[in-house]
Amino acid sequence: MAQTNHYFVIPSGWDLLPYSEGDPTGSTVPGGSIPRLENLLKLAKQNKGAIDVAGMCRIMDTDFDNGGPTVGGTLYQIVCEPGTFTFKLKTHKKRDRWVNIQLAGFFQEY
């Protein structure tokens, strides 16, 4: 599972890409989320059957100019695998590093 954003209104003070694009309803969407989503879907199709947590992190690490989802204004990315309680986070200030956040303790049965 991977997370991305899709804003119809840019939150005040957020540094998102300055262009808008049309979506299927005819409205405009700021920040380039539609081509980022299309890039993710294309990479998922190319890697179908071979995507694990590490593979999903590599996909999320791919720059937009190279057919991936990451743009200069990307603030954070999340990759998780619910079955193993794996939760990885990468932030704007640590672009070169995925941080593993331990969730199992929050969900263990007593």
Side-chain angles (χ1 to χ4, degrees):
M1 183 183 323
Q3 178 272 336
T4 185
N5 50 21
H6 184 78
Y7 296 104
F8 284 93
V9 177
I10 296 175
S12 177
W14 284 35
D15 181 26
L16 293 178
L17 296 176
Y19 64 90
S20 294
E21 58 193 304
D23 73 5
T25 68
S27 63
T28 60
V29 181
S33 63
I34 293 172
R36 289 171 58 222
L37 173 61
E38 289 170 349
N39 286 353
L40 279 171
L41 293 173
K42 183 178 178 182
L43 290 170
K45 186 175 182 180
Q46 289 173 355
N47 293 283
K48 187 174 181 177
I51 301 173
D52 56 8
V53 171
M56 193 70 235
C57 289
R58 284 190 299 276
I59 287 172
M60 297 296 281
D61 284 339
T62 306
D63 290 330
F64 182 80
D65 292 338
N66 293 320
T70 302
V71 296
T74 299
L75 300 176
Y76 65 91
Q77 294 173 310
I78 296 170
V79 172
C80 65
E81 185 177 45
T84 62
F85 300 112
T86 300
F87 187 91
K88 292 188 171 281
L89 174 71
K90 185 171 75 168
T91 65
H92 181 72
K93 293 187 182 212
K94 299 285 186 182
R95 287 187 179 270
D96 61 338
R97 176 168 73 104
W98 286 93
V99 176
N100 189 28
I101 299 173
Q102 300 296 323
L103 295 179
F106 295 112
F107 299 105
Q108 289 178 341
E109 292 185 38
Y110 293 97

